[in-house]
Amino acid sequence: TYFSERMLELRLFDEAIVLLREQQPMARQRLGRDNALTLALAVSLSFALVMRDGDIPLEDVVEAEALSKDALKRIRRLGDASDIFPHYIHKAEHNLRLCSELFKVSR
């Protein structure tokens, strides 16, 4: 996740999306859906999908919302199992607010 997080910091969203779409399913398969790294990758992918400049396709907003909702549900169910969770709870909630705004604009 270090490399994908650096890409996001540099606003290389399209490149991060490609990388995260490769990493996230592998992490989910090998580490499990409730693993901290798997959840971090999902939230980061959600963030990348909604932070791009210009028009964001509605299907990307729908995907971002689903990723954030699922990650939040799993993180909250796991509780304090990892010290990275507070950061990703905040980030997922932020992503959901962005999705809500983008849905309003698209109507």
Side-chain angles (χ1 to χ4, degrees):
T1 62
Y2 175 81
F3 190 60
S4 59
E5 287 296 320
R6 297 300 75 78
M7 293 173 92
L8 294 174
E9 286 176 9
L10 294 170
R11 301 186 59 80
L12 300 170
F13 299 119
D14 290 329
E15 294 83 351
I17 289 168
V18 171
L19 179 63
L20 289 163
R21 279 194 169 142
E22 290 174 4
Q23 291 178 334
Q24 207 245 346
M26 287 189 295
R28 198 172 47 235
Q29 181 183 29
R30 293 193 176 112
L31 303 173
R33 291 183 173 274
D34 293 337
N35 178 272
L37 177 60
T38 303
L39 294 166
L41 291 169
V43 173
S44 293
L45 176 56
S46 173
F47 180 77
L49 288 167
V50 296
M51 288 302 296
R52 290 179 288 173
D53 293 327
D55 291 333
I56 300 169
L58 185 58
E59 59 268 12
D60 286 355
V61 179
V62 170
E63 180 182 1
E65 181 184 51
L67 286 166
S68 288
K69 281 183 176 179
D70 182 64
L72 270 176
K73 177 183 75 172
R74 291 174 187 283
I75 290 169
R76 287 183 175 139
R77 190 182 76 239
L78 293 169
D80 295 331
S82 172
D83 60 344
I84 71 163
F85 285 163
H87 170 73
Y88 286 99
I89 287 173
H90 174 73
K91 199 169 182 178
E93 289 171 342
H94 173 75
N95 295 348
L96 288 172
R97 285 191 298 275
L98 287 173
C99 289
S100 178
E101 291 173 20
L102 290 167
F103 282 133
K104 288 177 189 174
V105 170
S106 68
R107 291 181 189 171

